Amino acid sequence: MRERLEARKVVMANMSTRCKVATEDAKKQEEMLSTEVRSLLVAGTSLSVARKRLQEANRLLTEERGCVKLKNVQRKLRARQQYMISQVSLLYPVKILVGPAQEQELESYSSSSRLGNPSASKPVNQGSLTILGLNLTLLPFTKMSFFTDKKEVQRSATALGYVAHAVSLIASYLQVPLRYPLRLGGSRSYINDHASSIDPASSDLSLDTTLSANVKLAEFPLFLEGQDTTRAAYAVFLLNKDIEQLLNFIGVKSLGPRHVLANLKELLRSVQSSEYIDT
């Protein structure tokens, strides 16, 4: 009987210990749950306040005065953008010189190239376009040689630097991140392309983070002197794509992949028109 009594005492002691441990765990769980409940209550209160603010904003917006106020703010913003871009137009005027039309040659990347528009129409004019008095009449890149006029090459590089700066300013005023970023340097400017520098072996990778780590910026020169003519041609092609991106942003159709100055002139004209503010 004594042995049984001692065994029962040991069992009761073990059960008492387990009960104490379970009680402590329950208290910890209760404290954690109470903390989470308080956090949920605070979050619920914040959500309720935010919902009321949203409902009030929607109510004000749906009212006649709210819509009018929003449209007025949008018109002021567009008017400000129009004014800033008009200053760019004064800084880099694109004008038409009376004379025979001169086509911008980009034989290395013709209208059938990638990202090109084979059905694009040429701008209708009877003169050559200039930016700040400089022509952008690039010679066919397949005809570049040692005997090519260096002054003509330098003038084209300067004109491309003007175009690059104007495009960069317009994109910043319209708050449009350019698909092909520019590195400005006057007549020694560059344009960057992400897609051209992707390692082909990285196409088998499944993780986006690993893929993005393998993507590097490839720079292409917007000038011909001392550069590969194919890379320079591709740089002009990408610059025109940036202008097309800005045209598409304001809802205007591009004039084609070969007409850098014509597209820039159309962009400046469209932004400075009265329809831009009323859009």
Side-chain angles (χ1 to χ4, degrees), residues 88 139 160 178 181 197 209 237 243-244 246 254 262:
V88 177
L139 293 171
L160 286 173
L178 292 175
S197 58
T209 54
F237 177 80
I243 302 176
E244 289 184 6
L246 297 175
S254 169

Side-chain angles (χ1 to χ4, degrees), residues 17-33:
T17 303
R18 292 177 182 176
C19 184
K20 290 180 180 179
V21 172
T23 302
E24 292 177 357
D25 291 341
K27 288 182 179 180
K28 291 180 181 179
Q29 292 291 335
E30 185 179 358
E31 292 176 357
M32 293 175 61
L33 286 175

